[in-house]
Amino acid sequence: EKLRVPKYTPNTPPTGDAAAVNEVAKMLVNADYPVLAVERAARTPNGLKYIIELAELLQAGVVDTIQRMNFPSRHPLAQSDRALREADVVLALEMPLLSRSRLKPGAKMASITCFDLFTRSNYWHFGKYQEADLTLSADAEATLPALIEAVKKLITADRRIAFERSEEHTSELQSLAYLVCRLLLEKK
């Protein structure tokens, strides 16, 4: 009997609902200090490019848990966890267990993750829900192109000025983190 090898059919990752993507874009564009929190968002080199493009468009700080290469650690927008406590809007990308307790009181949080699509049937995750203002059950990398386009459509001249102020704030946070690291190294 001849061995039969089934035809390979690749899956198409689920993308976020267009209305929900537009709502996330509005939250990010209207934020004074948006932050992207990324865990397992970039599956491919394109995912990395999308995260960088979105961060640079918004001048948003990026907190990377370094679960995989999501964002270059030497990029000027790369931030420590401290940025989460400063942000008024946080977008969690494939970071489903980001707790609101790590955010500034009153901060808004949106989440784009596939996590909700497959783990709620596991007893160890039962009842563990991210307390987000808006959750998209979708693949973050597959949803980023639509989100980037939605953000581009919403950016006005006034928002560009606000993003420049955010860039200054991000630089201040980086300088503070650098100073703390130097002080800690000097104590050794």
Side-chain angles (χ1 to χ4, degrees), residues 71-171:
F71 198 76
S73 60
R74 292 181 186 248
H75 191 285
L77 293 171
Q79 298 293 305
S80 70
D81 275 2
R82 179 184 172 98
L84 294 172
R85 293 186 294 278
E86 300 287 329
D88 58 332
V89 173
V90 174
L91 173 59
L93 296 170
E94 299 296 351
M95 194 170 182
L97 300 179
L98 176 63
S99 170
R100 192 170 278 284
S101 65
R102 294 174 62 190
L103 310 182
K104 173 172 83 172
K108 292 182 180 180
M109 181 168 60
S111 177
I112 303 174
T113 182
C114 286
F115 191 75
D116 291 334
L117 298 174
F118 63 90
T119 58
R120 294 301 177 231
S121 62
N122 295 329
Y123 71 90
W124 59 85
H125 287 117
F126 185 76
K128 291 184 182 178
Y129 298 98
Q130 190 174 46
E131 188 183 342
D133 296 292
L134 181 59
T135 301
L136 282 74
S137 294
D139 180 77
E141 183 175 320
T143 303
L144 280 171
L147 180 59
I148 290 166
E149 289 308 310
V151 164
K152 285 179 181 178
K153 288 178 185 175
L154 293 172
I155 294 176
T156 63
D158 290 343
R159 292 314 301 157
R160 277 190 177 67
I161 293 168
F163 294 154
E164 288 170 11
R165 278 186 269 136
S166 179
E167 183 177 13
E168 292 168 10
H169 181 74
T170 301
S171 295

Side-chain angles (χ1 to χ4, degrees), residues 47-82:
L48 178 64
K49 290 175 192 172
Y50 296 147
I51 294 169
I52 292 169
E53 183 178 357
L54 182 61
E56 289 176 350
L57 262 175
L58 297 164
Q59 285 303 301
V62 180
V63 176
D64 187 353
T65 62
I66 313 174
Q67 296 288 321
R68 63 170 62 141
M69 177 58 174
N70 290 295
F71 198 76
S73 60
R74 292 181 186 248
H75 191 285
L77 293 171
Q79 298 293 305
S80 70
D81 275 2
R82 179 184 172 98

